[in-house]
Amino acid sequence: MQDPYELNECVIKKIRFETKDTNTYTLAFPNDLIIPEEEFKPGRFILLSIFGFGEAAFSLSSLIQNGTFETTIRKVGNFTQKLHSCKEGDKLYMRGPYGEGWPIDKAEGKDILLVAGGIGLAPLRPVILHIAKNRSKYGRLEILYGARTPNDMIFTSEFETWRKIPNSILRLTVDAVPRGVKWNYKIGVVPILFEDMETTPDNAIVMTCGPEIMMHFVVKGLIAKGFSEDQIYVSLERRMKCGIAQCGHCQVGKKYVCKDGPVFAYSEIKGLPDLTI
Ligand SMILES: Cc1cc2nc3c(=O)[nH]c(=O)nc-3n(C[C@H](O)[C@H](O)[C@H](O)COP(=O)(O)OP(=O)(O)OC[C@H]3O[C@@H](n4cnc5c(N)ncnc54)[C@H](O)[C@@H]3O)c2cc1C
Ligand code: FES
C-alpha cells in the first residue's frame, strides 16, 4: 500500500491568469509517475506544499490528461501568496488526490444542474469536462454561475465552448457591475438564476459549490422547487491537516470532510453542528 503521506514532486507547466487574485496552474509529474486516471475523479482534492511555507488543500479543476492536470488557486493568505509568486518550471509537492468526489456515476442518465459561486466553479469544471467527453451518458446540462463582479468570474474564456456542448445552458449573474464594465446577463445573487432555470426535479442531480452562505440559499431555493435532499450534493470546505481522517481538523459532527467528503449529499450533512448550510 502506498504511504498516504508520500509527497510526489510536480512541476508547474503553465500558469493561466483568471482574475486579479486567481490563477490556474497546470501541473505535471516529472519522474514518469503514473497515478491512475480514476484517482483524479471530479470533486476530489490534493494537498500542495512548498517546503518552509506550508501545505493547503486545492480541488482538481480539470481531468487528468497526458499526465497533467489543473488546479485553480485564489490568493488569500501566506501559502497561497507564495504559490502565486511561483513561475512556470518551479517544483511543488503534492499528496493525494483524496476524498469523495461528485456522484458522476450516479448522475448517468439524469439531467445535471451545477450551481457555482465564485471560485466554487473550479471543482465543478471537471464535471463539465467529463460530461462533454461522455455526452450521451447524461441528460441536459444546466450551469448556474455567479460571482461578485464580471471581473471576478473564472474560466470566462471557456464559456462559449461550454455553451456549444449539446443540450447545455450556461446562466450567469453578478452581485454588482462596476461603472464602465459591459454586462449582458443578470444582476443579483446566485439564486436569482432559479427564475429562468429549466431543470426540474423529475430526474436530476444537483451539484453545488461556493461560499457556505450561498449554498444555504441555493439548497433552500431548490427544496422549495421540489428537489429532494438526496438529489442535492454540496462540497464543503474546512481547514485540512492530514487529509486522511487522522487529525480531526476537518471534522463536522461525526463526518470527516477530508475522507467522507468534501462532497456530501445534503441529506447526509443536514443539521450537523458548525454548518451554516
Ligand atoms: C477540499 C478543499 C478544496 C479547496 N479547493 C480550493 C481551490 O480549488 N482553490 C483555492 O483557491 N482554495 C481552495 N481551498 C481553500 C484553500 O485550502 C485555502 O484557501 C488555503 O488553505 C489558504 O491558505 P493560505 O495559507 O494562503 O491562507 P491562510 O494564511 O491560512 O489564511 C489567510 C486569511 O485568509 C482567510 N482564508 C483562508 N482560506 C480562505 C478561503 N478559502 N476563503 C476565504 N478566506 C480564506 C483566512 O481566514 C485568513 O484570514 C480548498 C479547501 C478545501 C478544504
Ligand atoms: S484533515 Fe485530518 S481528519 Fe480531516
Side-chain angles (χ1 to χ4, degrees):
M1 190 186 131
Q2 203 200 352
D3 175 357
Y5 289 108
E6 189 179 330
L7 292 176
N8 294 308
E9 194 177 284
C10 55
V11 171
I12 303 176
K13 279 274 181 202
K14 204 168 141 198
I15 303 176
R16 197 172 64 238
F17 172 87
E18 299 287 350
T19 72
K20 62 180 185 318
D21 60 8
T22 304
N23 290 333
T24 293
Y25 297 81
T26 306
L27 303 179
F29 302 110
N31 301 326
D32 293 333
L33 172 75
I34 300 184
I35 300 185
E37 219 170 290
E38 314 84 74
E39 295 283 308
F40 287 78
K41 198 174 162 205
R44 303 193 81 198
F45 69 94
I46 52 169
L47 285 162
L48 270 186
S49 60
I50 303 175
F51 289 140
F53 285 90
E55 187 179 56
F58 301 100
S59 305
L60 305 168
S61 65
S62 76
L63 303 170
I64 190 164
Q65 206 167 21
N66 304 323
T68 70
F69 66 95
E70 293 176 341
T71 179
T72 301
I73 298 176
R74 185 165 63 193
K75 192 164 52 173
V76 292
N78 291 340
F79 179 67
T80 45
Q81 191 116 27
K82 177 67 187 165
L83 258 174
H84 273 244
S85 73
C86 290
K87 307 264 177 305
E88 290 176 1
D90 284 354
K91 276 184 201 154
L92 302 173
Y93 291 88
M94 182 202 111
R95 300 197 275 136
Y98 296 125
E100 284 296 322
W102 299 109
I104 50 170
D105 297 332
K106 189 178 167 198
E108 284 188 11
K110 301 198 165 115
D111 291 337
I112 314 291
L113 175 66
L114 306 182
V115 190
I119 199 169
L121 185 58
L124 289 168
R125 179 170 169 250
V127 176
I128 299 169
L129 300 174
H130 174 84
I131 293 173
K133 205 169 152 187
N134 299 276
R135 192 66 196 97
S136 59
K137 292 189 180 168
Y138 298 90
R140 181 198 292 120
L141 168 65
E142 185 163 11
I143 307 162
L144 312 182
Y145 178 43
R148 283 185 195 164
T149 73
N151 292 336
D152 291 307
M153 295 208 139
I154 57 174
F155 310 134
T156 47
S157 63
E158 293 169 42
F159 288 177
E160 280 318 301
T161 314
W162 296 355
R163 286 197 165 100
K164 286 185 191 132
I165 299 171
N167 196 14
S168 73
I169 304 162
L170 171 64
R171 300 185 195 282
L172 304 174
T173 187
V174 289
D175 298 352
V177 182
R179 201 185 292 247
V181 175
K182 203 171 149 228
W183 182 249
N184 299 323
Y185 304 95
K186 290 243 174 189
I187 300 177
V189 291
V190 174
I192 204 172
L193 295 171
F194 291 161
E195 286 171 5
D196 303 322
M197 183 170 86
E198 287 176 39
T199 310
T200 57
D202 319 330
N203 184 35
I205 289 280
V206 186
M207 306 179 201
T208 182
C209 186
E212 250 177 56
I213 190 70
M214 179 213 95
M215 293 196 282
H216 169 81
F217 287 107
V218 164
V219 169
K220 225 173 139 180
L222 290 169
I223 287 173
K225 283 193 170 283
F227 288 84
S228 75
E229 292 170 357
D230 296 326
Q231 277 177 294
I232 306 170
Y233 287 79
V234 301
S235 183
L236 297 185
E237 201 180 294
R238 285 294 179 277
R239 282 312 168 95
M240 302 273 177
K241 274 266 185 230
C242 68
I244 51 167
Q246 295 295 308
C247 72
H249 263 74
C250 68
Q251 233 176 323
V252 181
K254 53 185 188 314
K255 301 280 184 191
Y256 292 93
V257 174
C258 64
K259 188 158 179 278
D260 304 324
V263 173
F264 295 92
Y266 177 64
S267 53
E268 277 182 272
I269 52 134
K270 184 188 167 188
L272 288 181
D274 302 325
L275 266 189
T276 48
I277 302 183

